[in-house]
Amino acid sequence: MEQVRTILLHRSVYADNDKEADLLRAYLKDRGVFVVNLMSSPGAGKTTTLTALISKIKDKVRVGVMEADIDSDVDAIRIAERTGVKSIQLHTGGMCHLDAGMTKTGLDEIDISNLDIVFLENVGNLVCPAEFDTGASLDVMILSVPEGDDKPLKYPLVFEKSDLVIINKIDALKYFNFDLEKCISYIKARNKNATIIPVSAKTGEGIDEVAKYFLKKIVDFKEC
Amino acid sequence: MEQVRTILLHRSVYADNDKEADLLRAYLKDRGVFVVNLMSSPGAGKTTTLTALISKIKDKVRVGVMEADIDSDVDAIRIAERTGVKSIQLHTGGMCHLDAGMTKTGLDEIDISNLDIVFLENVGNLVCPAEFDTGASLDVMILSVPEGDDKPLKYPLVFEKSDLVIINKIDALKYFNFDLEKCISYIKARNKNATIIPVSAKTGEGIDEVAKYFLKKIVDFKEC
């Protein structure tokens, strides 16, 4: 296993983040590298879901992971140990989100020249990450069952922005008062085009479908 | 039940939030109104815990609740319906936290003249609310078992800042890989003075201890 490095990010100097994000997307498109911005609340299971997903796809595509965190480096080490893929830790220096400039700095550090897909695990937060375009080609969020089925009502922007909504911890559905159908209808009301996949990263249920989704997205991205 | 009003907050004009927060604390001290800033991730159980707690203390002290949210008003209505106490909804207009000026606006709207304690339910987010002093006399956070025992490592500031850490959903301990002792040691390493109370807002376990804690804090606040 390669040593996991930690990169301290600084607030970007660009005045226009949306423009920088578009430039970054074009840069990545030229190089055929598919970058996925992964958002969720703290503890919704971003790292566990990523670990399960990567195990399913790493023999077919070359995967890199950038773990953003305020302060710790537990996630990047965990990903690297469990999956063996290239993984770096990004420290946001207290900032609650990543912008396109910070994402570009991370991508330069991880070296994308031999990667097909890079997962960017954003800071655990449903508010700020939704407001800043990272330059990724795909926005994904994970909602977990213990958080409650009303979250699309309370944090609308992140649901509006996400191409894929993964509903995690469905093995705990019997334990929590969470109405899966109601939750899906709330998400669809905010974003009728969202793909929604219920999973349990713990038991592996649904992870095959997520893997299939990403492998198809990578093919589409490289072809068109 | 009084009609639940929704107040739209605007970014404060004050350059120095820390100074405004100190002024607000002094203003509240003069009036004998104890304000509690309640922070957590989305879905950790702020509203459910508050509902359980208020039912235990509302016959002894006069309680008000301000529910901050990006956009919805489900929480204020839920609190008002279930407890009968005065409750208003604060909309942050997309902002990820409350500052002292926004808190003061909310307090003016709820009318504190006949209240002993006001709970301010901050935006569900472990990052931004920890960075802005609201002017409250007490900072409280709720961590829930499904979020994981490593959260004090990943979101240190909110644990450092909190006088009381409530660990909620302990009825689900058998279901999640959450080491309560390890979590408590992580919290203590960040903040040795924090009071830590494990509870289940669902079953009511631990809520008496939380109620006792707040009733004592109110007496201390009014006396000294």
Side-chain angles (χ1 to χ4, degrees):
Chain A
M1 188 186 91
E2 191 188 358
Q3 181 80 26
V4 171
R5 283 175 307 132
T6 297
I7 317 299
L8 179 60
L9 301 176
H10 300 283
R11 190 185 290 266
S12 299
V13 294
Y14 306 112
D16 186 344
N17 182 61
D18 286 346
K19 191 177 152 198
E20 285 306 312
D22 286 338
L23 288 172
L24 178 56
R25 249 185 306 277
Y27 167 91
L28 291 165
K29 181 80 187 157
D30 281 349
R31 283 154 187 79
V33 180
F34 191 64
V35 174
V36 177
N37 174 34
L38 183 57
M39 299 170 285
S40 85
S41 295
K46 286 191 295 302
T47 311
T48 313
T49 306
L50 257 189
T51 303
L53 170 62
I54 289 170
S55 303
K56 299 270 183 191
I57 65 175
K58 68 177 182 177
D59 295 337
K60 301 184 181 76
V61 288
R62 297 166 299 174
V63 181
V65 176
M66 306 198 298
E67 292 282 334
D69 231 323
I70 307 290
D71 195 358
S72 84
D73 57 4
V74 291
D75 287 340
I77 293 171
R78 193 145 60 113
I79 288 271
E81 282 178 353
R82 295 191 187 167
T83 67
V85 304
K86 198 194 276 186
S87 177
I88 64 172
Q89 187 76 43
L90 307 178
H91 277 184
T92 64
M95 278 185 67
C96 57
H97 66 275
L98 292 175
D99 59 24
M102 296 160 91
T103 304
K104 176 70 165 61
T105 302
L107 291 166
D108 290 344
E109 292 286 344
I110 200 172
D111 181 14
I112 58 172
S113 61
N114 56 356
L115 295 176
D116 299 305
I117 182 166
V118 178
F119 291 99
L120 169 61
E121 194 182 309
N122 215 313
V123 181
N125 181 329
L126 292 186
V127 185
C128 320
E131 293 170 356
F132 290 84
D133 190 340
T134 58
S137 297
L138 196 81
D139 289 304
V140 177
M141 75 161 293
I142 300 180
L143 170 69
S144 66
V145 164
E147 291 172 75
D149 52 27
D150 62 344
K151 291 301 159 290
L153 302 178
K154 300 179 73 175
Y155 302 91
L157 189 60
V158 67
F159 289 89
E160 284 165 23
K161 185 181 170 170
S162 293
D163 303 288
L164 168 65
V165 179
I166 296 172
I167 302 179
N168 190 24
K169 308 193 188 180
I170 57 164
D171 54 291
L173 270 173
K174 57 185 175 294
Y175 203 81
F176 291 92
N177 184 19
F178 185 102
D179 185 329
L180 189 57
E181 275 185 38
K182 194 162 78 178
C183 185
I184 290 172
S185 76
Y186 288 155
I187 297 168
K188 287 288 182 190
R190 293 289 176 184
N191 179 354
K192 66 180 168 43
N193 298 318
T195 300
I196 302 170
I197 307 180
V199 310
S200 165
K202 190 176 174 182
T203 68
E205 189 179 349
I207 299 296
D208 277 333
E209 192 178 343
V210 177
K212 218 170 109 185
Y213 173 92
F214 278 108
L215 291 172
K216 180 165 185 332
K217 284 284 176 192
I218 295 168
V219 170
D220 292 348
F221 175 78
K222 296 217 181 213
E223 276 179 0
C224 75
Chain B
M1 189 187 89
E2 191 189 358
Q3 181 81 27
V4 171
R5 284 175 306 133
T6 297
I7 317 299
L8 180 60
L9 300 177
H10 300 283
R11 190 185 290 267
S12 300
V13 294
Y14 306 112
D16 186 344
N17 182 62
D18 286 345
K19 192 177 151 196
E20 284 307 312
D22 286 339
L23 288 172
L24 178 55
R25 248 185 307 276
Y27 167 91
L28 292 165
K29 181 79 186 160
D30 280 350
R31 282 153 186 80
V33 180
F34 192 64
V35 174
V36 177
N37 173 35
L38 183 57
M39 300 171 284
S40 85
S41 295
K46 286 191 294 303
T47 311
T48 313
T49 305
L50 257 189
T51 304
L53 170 62
I54 290 169
S55 302
K56 299 270 182 190
I57 65 174
K58 68 177 181 178
D59 295 336
K60 301 184 181 77
V61 288
R62 296 166 300 173
V63 181
V65 177
M66 306 198 297
E67 293 281 334
D69 232 322
I70 307 290
D71 197 358
S72 85
D73 56 4
V74 291
D75 287 340
I77 292 170
R78 192 144 60 112
I79 287 271
E81 281 178 353
R82 295 192 188 166
T83 67
V85 304
K86 197 194 277 186
S87 177
I88 64 172
Q89 188 76 43
L90 308 178
H91 277 184
T92 64
M95 277 186 67
C96 56
H97 66 274
L98 293 175
D99 60 24
M102 296 160 91
T103 304
K104 176 70 166 59
T105 302
L107 290 167
D108 289 345
E109 292 287 344
I110 200 172
D111 180 13
I112 58 172
S113 61
N114 56 357
L115 295 176
D116 299 304
I117 182 167
V118 178
F119 291 98
L120 168 62
E121 195 182 307
N122 215 313
V123 181
N125 181 328
L126 292 187
V127 183
C128 320
E131 292 170 356
F132 290 84
D133 191 340
T134 58
S137 297
L138 196 81
D139 289 304
V140 177
M141 76 160 293
I142 301 179
L143 171 70
S144 67
V145 164
E147 291 173 73
D149 52 27
D150 62 345
K151 291 301 160 290
L153 302 177
K154 300 178 73 177
Y155 302 92
L157 189 61
V158 67
F159 289 89
E160 284 165 22
K161 185 181 169 170
S162 294
D163 302 288
L164 169 65
V165 179
I166 296 172
I167 302 179
N168 190 24
K169 307 192 189 179
I170 56 165
D171 55 291
L173 269 174
K174 58 185 175 293
Y175 203 80
F176 291 93
N177 184 20
F178 184 102
D179 185 329
L180 189 58
E181 276 186 37
K182 195 161 79 178
C183 184
I184 290 172
S185 75
Y186 288 156
I187 297 168
K188 287 289 181 188
R190 293 288 176 184
N191 179 354
K192 66 180 169 43
N193 298 317
T195 300
I196 302 169
I197 307 180
V199 311
S200 165
K202 189 176 174 183
T203 68
E205 189 180 349
I207 300 295
D208 277 332
E209 191 178 343
V210 176
K212 219 170 107 185
Y213 173 92
F214 278 107
L215 291 172
K216 180 167 184 329
K217 285 284 176 192
I218 295 168
V219 170
D220 292 349
F221 175 78
K222 296 219 181 210
E223 277 181 358
C224 72

